[in-house]
Amino acid sequence: MKNPHMFLVTLSMFAVNLSHAQLDSTSMGEPTVEETNKQIAWKFYDDLWFNQRTENYAKYVADTYIVHDIEDRKNVTEPAIEQKEIADFFWENGELTCELDYQIAEGDMVATRWTAGYKPKTLLGKVILGDRPIPIINVFRIQDGKIVEIWNHRHDIDTNQTIRFTMKGFLLGLLLALIPTVWAFRLRRKLKQVS
């Protein structure tokens, strides 16, 4: 080798060109796993929540998935049709006007922050769902091109859901308060009968 310095320069130029070729193939060729998963999540929202194409649920959700939600829907395995039925319930009782705020993806996880707007058309829609926008953050775990796990975080404090939980708590408290009241009236009757 006549000039070792020239060999090192040529080798480093080859390495730089190889790294640029790899970057170009990633950015211009096949999308990354994260980009593909963000597209799956976006199409799920677009069909079920932003437009009334709920029959497309099976394109995005695995036959069964795990949900982490409020009340009884914590760490529960559900059939995919459940997502269609939930979206249909909203569409049957009003009109959704949703907006995607942003998405973040890492590996098989996609987090989406979106705002669900709602215009109720039925009494049920007005009472249960209300008409205030609801900020929502969903986290999906996507496997083999389908959603297999959902974490659902809604800001229900600003909605009619708060009234529902308040009424539930009020009625439970009322029931608990009636027990000693009934007991006191029974004791009072017994005391009157004795005297």
Side-chain angles (χ1 to χ4, degrees):
M1 181 148 289
K2 292 182 182 177
N3 188 348
H5 177 68
M6 194 61 155
F7 174 73
L8 290 174
V9 169
T10 305
L11 184 61
S12 41
M13 292 290 285
F14 176 73
V16 168
N17 286 335
L18 182 61
S19 68
H20 281 296
Q22 288 173 341
L23 285 174
D24 288 345
S25 70
T26 303
S27 61
M28 307 230 353
E30 292 294 315
T32 64
V33 170
E34 289 82 1
E35 289 300 316
T36 301
N37 289 343
K38 284 168 67 174
Q39 275 298 316
I40 292 166
W42 161 245
K43 289 176 182 174
F44 168 81
Y45 290 115
D46 189 46
D47 275 353
L48 274 71
W49 298 101
F50 295 16
N51 295 289
Q52 195 173 357
R53 297 186 297 250
T54 61
E55 69 282 354
N56 291 337
Y57 73 95
K59 291 180 180 179
Y60 315 110
V61 183
D63 292 341
T64 60
Y65 65 95
I66 300 168
V67 67
H68 309 276
D69 205 337
I70 61 171
E71 294 185 354
D72 296 335
R73 294 181 74 222
K74 288 183 175 59
N75 203 27
V76 173
T77 300
E78 295 180 334
I81 190 97
E82 186 73 20
Q83 285 299 306
K84 176 186 179 351
E85 291 170 355
I86 293 167
D88 283 342
F89 174 77
F90 278 86
W91 283 107
E92 287 166 7
N93 291 289
E95 183 182 327
L96 287 158
T97 55
C98 304
E99 182 179 320
L100 182 72
D101 299 321
Y102 58 86
Q103 284 186 308
I104 302 169
E106 184 174 324
D108 63 352
M109 305 292 275
V110 177
T112 305
R113 203 300 189 159
W114 61 292
T115 304
Y118 197 66
K119 295 177 186 168
K121 294 188 285 190
T122 64
L123 180 61
L124 182 65
K126 289 177 184 174
V127 172
I128 293 180
L129 304 171
D131 62 355
R132 292 188 182 169
I134 305 171
I136 301 170
I137 296 174
N138 295 126
V139 179
F140 296 153
R141 186 168 61 85
I142 299 174
Q143 187 175 32
D144 299 324
K146 300 272 183 124
I147 298 165
V148 295
E149 198 162 3
I150 299 173
W151 288 264
N152 192 22
H153 306 281
R154 294 182 310 273
H155 196 262
D156 286 342
I157 196 83
D158 294 336
T159 68
N160 288 2
Q161 296 294 329
T162 303
I163 294 169
R164 190 181 90 182
F165 293 126
T166 302
M167 290 305 293
K168 189 176 177 181
F170 175 75
L171 292 173
L172 181 62
L174 187 62
L175 178 65
L176 290 174
L178 281 175
I179 293 170
T181 305
V182 169
W183 185 47
F185 279 120
R186 285 183 156 190
L187 286 176
R188 187 174 172 202
R189 279 191 208 149
K190 285 183 182 179
L191 285 174
K192 282 186 178 182
Q193 289 174 354
V194 172
S195 53

